[in-house]
Structure formats: C-alpha cells, structure tokens
Amino acid sequence: MEHDMILVKELYDFICKSEGIKKASLYFKRVGKGGACCSYSGKKVYSIQIDLSRICIGAAYALCHEVAHQILITSDGNATHNKAFKKEEQRLVKAYANCSIARKLIF
Ligand SMILES: [Zn+2]
C-alpha cells in the first residue's frame, strides 16, 4: 500500500507536468462510494482523495478519472460525468494508465 501511494503521487506529478496543470493536494484516506473524489469550489480544485483500499478499478484509472474532473472543473466549472468529461477521461487513461509509472502499481 505504501509503495502504491508513492507511485500514485509520482504518477500525479507526471500527469500534472505533462498536462501543464496546477497540482492539487493529493490525499490517501477513506473515501465513500467509488473510492476516489475531489474537493472543489467554483472553478478551483482543492484536493483529490483516493482510497487505495476501496478502488477496484485500479489506482491509475481512478487518478485519471479525478484528474479529468480537475481539468474540466478548472476550465468550465463542470463536475459532471457528461460527454466532454468521458472524452477527457478516456484521453487521460489512454495516455497515462499504462505508462511506465502506472505499470509498477499493484492495485
Ligand atoms: Zn467522477
């Protein structure tokens, strides 16, 4: 678990750098439904929370999902799962869910 936290952080750093987005705080803690979420207000994302013990879809995928929220919240104030979101999520998953950092993840 410790190992994965470090890798998820590394992956988040890498995505932020590649995408040119501002890093929000990344927390590992218990999260309800879904196992990951982000805190935001208006167009500002404050933090991303990931519960490594609950995500069954893979940590890299969960992170891509939250980063997609972060990008769309920041650009449009859009926190929904609409078409634009799905497109952004897919783009990120394609670009990062299988990169060399993500492949080292256990979850
Ligand atoms: Zn979501």
Side-chain angles (χ1 to χ4, degrees), residues 25 66 104:
S25 316
E66 297 312 320
K104 288 187 273 182

Side-chain angles (χ1 to χ4, degrees), residues 1-12:
M1 206 73 105
E2 194 91 340
H3 171 78
D4 276 21
M5 282 184 209
I6 294 165
L7 285 173
V8 170
K9 270 191 189 144
E10 221 177 278
L11 184 59
Y12 185 55

Side-chain angles (χ1 to χ4, degrees), residues 58-97:
Y61 181 85
L63 182 64
C64 289
H65 181 99
E66 297 312 320
V67 173
H69 276 309
Q70 187 186 345
I71 290 173
L72 289 180
I73 288 168
T74 310
S75 62
D76 302 326
N78 167 22
T80 66
H81 289 141
N82 66 5
K83 233 170 151 186
F85 172 84
K86 294 275 179 217
K87 206 175 147 206
E88 188 63 11
E89 181 191 31
Q90 250 173 31
R91 184 182 69 80
L92 292 169
V93 167
K94 225 184 229 159
Y96 303 109

